[in-house]
Amino acid sequence: MTDLATRATTANAHVHTLEIVEVIVETARARSLVFAVPDELAHRFRYHPGQFLTLEIPGAGGDSMARCYSLSSSPHLDDTLVVTVKRVEGGYASNWLCDNAVPGMSLRVLTPSGVFVPKSLDADLLLLAAGSGITPVMSIAKSALLGGSATVYALYANTDAESVIFGAELAEMTVEFPDRFQVVHWLESERGRPSAAALAGLIAPYRAYRAYVCGPEPFMAASRAALRAIGMPDNHVHVEKFRSLTGDPFADIVRPEGGGAAASATVALDGRTIGLEWPRGTPLLDVLLSNGYDAPYSCRAGECSACACTVRSGEVRMLKNDTLVDADLALGLTLACQTIPVSERIEIAFDQ
């Protein structure tokens, strides 16, 4: 193979195919998809509670789309990967999966990603979820109870009793861990939508905990207001937002061509330090993926913050940023999928 052909070779080590081995009917509108992970891929699919998988969903006319679904399994309990999908009104991907996913089907997936992850499983947790927002919260709760010493208080809002996902499992957890786990169900059919004031009244005793919030935007807005009302510090509040990607994170990655000046980069990733050349016009994420490194990401379009990393030294520039706010930028955060080098030497850490 010529040097030119070698440089043009695509690097697709970031894309994998997993088989669905079980489909669990959680409710009339929700399904859990259980994926088996081959032994040779086990190291690539290690994950933290609260993270998600990005799935490629077949579309009409041969097209496809990417969607992110949180893992409801726990790395402290489950050998398989489980994502839970709830039908969205008018949503193609969620309805396609609920209608078509069967054991034996294979889907292309990206490795686990996301930063909705507790720093410690020993710090007490306040978990606020609504609807399918219970999915990452369930992973966090199970992991804290099995892999840590945290006390966990969970508030879970739904339209009615038939909408409750993991109802039986949550009840079993309260029996198994009576001194460490409590779940309060809020049913709109009985109490109306949860207001900030009502939520504040329920969660006030837990103001010293760490809060993790996931659900539809109205619920998250009420939860954030309630957390402010009880005086929980902002740095104790963690929010996960649903993602609807417009780009194609499964597209081939072409190895950057040599030639021209390149920056020298040192990257801290997964507990190791990587040294590499960083071509001037190539986003950092593409450089890492094309060299076979499992950098976290989900969109490759600056639409999410899964690839957020910290600039420890040197200067970079972002081509696009739809997610990081001024406070993030002040901390030195940047999006690897949109970041190109400016200075000669740059030090980056994936430490979020």
Side-chain angles (χ1 to χ4, degrees):
M1 183 180 290
T2 66
D3 289 343
L4 181 60
T6 301
R7 289 196 300 269
T9 300
T10 57
N12 291 309
H14 61 295
V15 176
H16 304 278
T17 300
L18 296 183
E19 180 182 341
I20 298 172
V21 294
E22 185 179 3
V23 176
I24 302 169
V25 178
E26 303 289 359
T27 70
R29 298 181 58 81
R31 305 286 187 272
S32 286
L33 313 183
V34 183
F35 289 94
V37 180
D39 291 342
E40 63 271 19
L41 293 179
H43 66 291
R44 291 185 177 269
F45 281 91
R46 295 192 185 102
Y47 66 100
H48 301 289
Q51 291 193 304
F52 58 84
L53 290 184
T54 303
L55 309 183
E56 185 181 52
I57 313 300
D63 295 330
S64 62
M65 62 184 66
R67 291 293 183 267
C68 303
Y69 294 102
S70 294
L71 288 153
S72 55
S73 51
S74 165
H76 297 271
L77 176 66
D78 303 293
D79 294 327
T80 53
L81 298 176
V82 184
V83 298
T84 303
V85 181
K86 182 179 179 180
R87 293 182 187 273
V88 175
E89 185 92 21
Y92 174 85
S94 64
N95 283 283
W96 189 93
L97 287 170
C98 287
D99 289 336
N100 295 282
V102 293
M105 173 183 287
S106 294
L107 293 175
R108 295 213 303 169
V109 305
L110 304 182
T111 51
S113 192
V115 295
F116 187 65
V117 175
K119 297 291 186 183
S120 168
L121 296 179
D122 298 318
D124 294 337
L125 299 173
L126 170 60
L127 307 178
L128 305 177
S132 60
I134 191 64
T135 305
V137 163
M138 175 60 85
S139 179
I140 291 171
K142 289 189 292 187
S143 297
L145 295 172
L146 294 168
S149 59
T151 296
V152 181
Y153 177 90
L155 187 147
Y156 183 23
N158 279 285
T159 304
D160 50 38
E162 289 70 33
S163 303
V164 176
I165 304 171
F166 310 130
E169 190 172 358
L170 288 165
E172 291 171 3
M173 290 162 62
T174 63
V175 173
E176 187 174 355
F177 301 95
D179 299 325
R180 294 178 54 209
F181 182 68
Q182 180 181 0
V183 59
V184 172
H185 291 281
W186 181 293
L187 302 181
E188 294 181 9
S189 59
E190 299 175 358
R191 309 174 69 175
R193 287 192 175 185
S195 66
L199 290 175
L202 290 170
I203 66 177
Y206 312 101
R207 59 172 54 89
Y209 286 21
R210 300 267 176 170
Y212 290 80
V213 186
C214 187
E217 181 52 40
F219 174 81
M220 293 205 294
S223 297
R224 289 192 295 265
L227 292 166
R228 287 194 297 270
I230 68 173
M232 182 174 285
D234 288 343
N235 64 351
H236 282 200
V237 179
H238 309 272
V239 176
E240 177 75 323
K241 296 181 179 180
F242 295 115
R243 296 171 176 83
S244 184
L245 308 180
T246 61
D248 181 10
F250 291 88
D252 289 348
I253 295 189
V254 179
R255 293 186 184 278
E257 293 190 11
S264 176
T266 302
V267 181
L269 175 65
D270 289 336
R272 58 178 171 171
T273 300
I274 302 162
L276 45 76
E277 287 194 348
W278 185 355
R280 291 288 173 182
T282 304
L284 176 61
L285 181 65
D286 285 6
V287 176
L288 290 168
L289 295 179
S290 68
N291 281 281
Y293 297 112
D294 272 334
Y297 78 102
S298 66
C299 75
R300 285 173 59 189
E303 298 174 342
C304 74
S305 57
C307 67
C309 52
T310 304
V311 181
R312 295 299 185 193
S313 66
E315 183 180 355
V316 300
R317 178 170 66 88
M318 273 193 289
L319 303 173
K320 178 184 176 183
N321 171 31
D322 289 340
T323 60
L324 299 182
V325 299
D326 289 344
D328 298 323
L329 300 176
L331 293 173
L333 291 180
T334 191
L335 300 175
C337 71
Q338 298 296 314
T339 296
I340 60 175
V342 174
S343 60
E344 296 296 324
R345 295 183 178 276
I346 302 162
E347 184 178 352
I348 297 279
F350 285 85
D351 53 2
Q352 299 310 302

